[in-house]
Amino acid sequence: MGLISGARRLLRIDAWSYLNYKPVYAGDATGMPNRRVFPEAHHTWVPPEDERRLAAYKLLTAYDQNQAAELAEVGGDVHARDRREFGDASMLIDTVMAHVLGREQTITVPGAEHEGDDNADAEAAMAARVQELLRDWSEAEQLPMRLQQAERKAVALGDGVYRLAWDPGKNRPTLRVHDPGFYFPVIGEDADGGDYPTRVHFAWELPEDPKRGLKARIRRITYELDWIRPATGSGVDQAGRAVRAPLPGVLPDGAVEGEEPPPPLTRGDFLNPDNGAIARQYAWNDGPAYVTCYLTDATWNIGDLKGQVDVDSLPLSAATFATRGDGEVLDHLDLLLDFIPVVHLPNTVPPAEEHWGQSSLAKVLQVLDELASSDTDSCRASATTGSPMIGLWGKAATGSGQYEAGPGTVLTLGEGGGMIAVDTSKNLAELRAHVHDLHDRTANVARIPAVALGTMDPSKVPSGYALQLSLGPLDALVSSMRLARDHKYALLLKFVQRLFLAGQHPDWAGVQPQPAKLTFGAYTPTDKQAVLEQVTTGVDKVFSRETAIRMLQDAGFPIEDAAQEIERIESRQFEAAKALADATGSTQAVGDFLGIKNLEPDPTPPPVVLPATPADQAAADAQAAADGTAPDAVTSGNDQQGQNRGNAR
């Protein structure tokens, strides 16, 4: 039995196997979490395959909140309360999250940067419009704050969850972040864990409230993709519960008596005569679709549940359905969407055929435990160093044997007496050195170098090249984590566009959805002065101004729009404009370079006639005399000679 039990524990390898070394997590032969420590994971409605996941979330949260020792004490470790936890796990989580998100997050739509160019087309204008609308939505919905909330969950627990919904009051899609412990996707045995689930539950228990007369309950919100059904309306059943029921069909004009009425259709739906299915044309699809998303918000009294049921098989006959503010009962309410507005955010790229990510603490938990133990030992050693143990002998030592020593204390020792103090400072120095080693081990395993943690003295960095080499593991870590997020955020922005179209927002009239993405900013420390010198030296020589602006943005300079920044720079390049004018002689080219529109061209100057020199005049007169084409000049000369003779007389 011991061999069998050991084999069963050994075979418990899954996404949370890195916690198997902790007795509080997998203490029994089956490797299941301790029921006393993790009662939430063992609720009757929690599927068995989710028990270890929920327990892992609670344990990781305890590390984040410096409460891992408290959980160990509940699990039976009587000395766990003495452990010291100084926030190393929380610091690691915050550091990883900051590097993954970067200094800023920007919504970009490919092609929007060409809007305003001379050869820009309608696609560039549409991309720029969608980009502006999405950025306005992100500001109104406080997207950076939502990102912080979800990313911290993802980095600490391994998973984060976004949920979108159209809010008629705000007239925009709202974005909410949920704890992954409430998230229960239904993934079939034959389905790939990387595929998008067709049914998603959000479920949690509501405690008993004696003051309000409420029993312990389970609330479950379900999104499900299914075939489009006939239209339904809000009503009540025989028990007085609010439910949805099919609307009565209406016979068309000219129908034969006794003919079955067609099924009632939601506005915009149509019945396909070929297959009898109900189809719907969504604003973002080229062709009709046959599926829609249904929303159900139900609550059960735990005492009313009988038999073996889990979150996916709770009986709807015993449920109480919620009612929306506009009176619609949330019992398979048609959301008029062909997608589930939920985005699961894994912290890492999931393994093949898996759905869940892995916490950034997974690989360093044992090092964190060793670090907490060393910190505890250091605290004890520092106590004996600050208040050393003293040994006395002689007549003064006879008596109770206990003395209190403090500043100004005088001990009178008898003949032959003496004292000695036990020096533990060397032990404290060794423990502190061991703590530093553990910090380095944590940084190496987590792939976060000391320079990224801010614990390295900048004066000790030999060169910028050495700094870049030290950041190599961090670059690989961030690249992998951003890869796991790129598609998820692109999917979220696609859902936002579709919800705006479904809500018929006036600003989105005529808009075609575009492939938008969320771009994360730089995260590595940079030498701004060095980057500025590179840009000043190399711009327009070895790289373009667009590349130079991108380098400045990555270095952290406050440049919001690269195209506008280039226009501002060029509008002040007067020396370059003068050189352009001398080279081309075109006023229009200079105006285009400086961004001056409708510049009047210079008038055509008259030709310049220089006065002739005496030598040139004599040569011209000689040539004219030889050609016989200057009689006026000869006559004028004779008249001048006659006038001179008259003046002489």
Side-chain angles (χ1 to χ4, degrees), residues 7 113 118 147 248 268 282 335 447 463 487 518:
E113 66 276 9
D118 296 336
L147 292 176
Y282 293 102
L335 296 180
R447 293 191 290 176
S463 64
H487 172 68
L518 188 66

Side-chain angles (χ1 to χ4, degrees), residues 161-163 182-187 195-203 220-225 293-296 311-312 340-344 355-356:
V161 182
Y162 290 106
R163 183 167 67 95
F182 301 152
Y183 171 67
F184 295 90
V186 179
I187 302 174
D195 294 339
Y196 202 87
T198 58
R199 187 163 64 252
V200 170
H201 303 296
F202 290 93
R220 190 191 74 181
I221 299 175
T222 301
Y223 294 89
E224 182 179 9
L225 287 178
C293 180
Y294 293 98
L295 170 64
T296 301
V311 67
D312 191 49
I340 295 178
V342 175
V343 178
H344 167 244
H355 184 77
W356 308 102

Side-chain angles (χ1 to χ4, degrees), residues 471-628:
L471 292 173
L474 179 63
D475 293 338
L477 173 67
V478 173
S479 298
S480 176
M481 296 179 68
R482 288 185 175 182
L483 177 63
R485 289 157 169 78
D486 285 343
H487 172 68
K488 299 297 183 177
Y489 284 115
L491 188 64
L492 187 146
L493 294 176
K494 179 192 293 186
F495 288 171
V496 171
Q497 297 180 65
R498 292 184 175 185
L499 285 171
F500 267 117
L501 295 177
Q504 299 181 359
H505 194 283
D507 293 342
W508 287 74
V511 172
Q512 297 178 355
Q514 301 293 315
K517 64 180 298 185
L518 188 66
T519 304
F520 301 108
Y523 58 91
T524 55
T526 56
D527 187 349
K528 289 188 176 182
Q529 184 63 32
V531 174
L532 186 60
E533 292 178 0
Q534 293 176 2
V535 169
T536 305
T537 305
V539 67
D540 292 336
K541 296 178 182 178
V542 296
F543 48 76
S544 64
R545 294 186 179 180
E546 289 76 7
T547 303
I549 294 297
R550 191 179 307 113
M551 292 172 60
L552 293 175
Q553 287 178 323
D554 294 341
F557 286 88
I559 300 175
E560 297 181 358
D561 191 294
Q564 292 182 1
E565 192 69 18
I566 293 175
E567 291 179 2
R568 297 190 189 102
I569 294 173
E570 292 180 347
S571 66
R572 296 170 176 83
Q573 295 287 326
F574 301 115
E575 292 295 331
K578 181 180 178 181
L580 179 63
D582 294 340
T584 63
S586 173
T587 305
Q588 185 63 37
V590 174
D592 294 341
F593 177 77
L594 295 176
I596 303 175
K597 299 181 179 179
N598 302 324
L599 184 65
E600 293 291 338
D602 293 336
T604 303
V608 179
V609 179
L610 300 176
T613 63
D616 294 338
Q617 185 63 41
D621 292 344
Q623 182 66 31
D627 295 341

Side-chain angles (χ1 to χ4, degrees), residues 306-331:
K306 308 297 181 183
Q308 297 294 328
V309 295
D310 60 18
V311 67
D312 191 49
S313 61
L314 293 172
L316 294 178
S317 59
T320 301
F321 300 103
T323 302
R324 205 167 60 180
D326 57 358
E328 293 289 350
V329 179
L330 301 181
D331 172 20

Side-chain angles (χ1 to χ4, degrees), residues 63-82:
Y63 272 92
D64 185 20
Q65 302 295 332
N66 291 341
Q67 293 180 302
E70 295 183 21
L71 281 185
E73 183 185 29
V74 176
D77 188 351
V78 295
H79 303 291
R81 179 70 68 172
D82 297 332

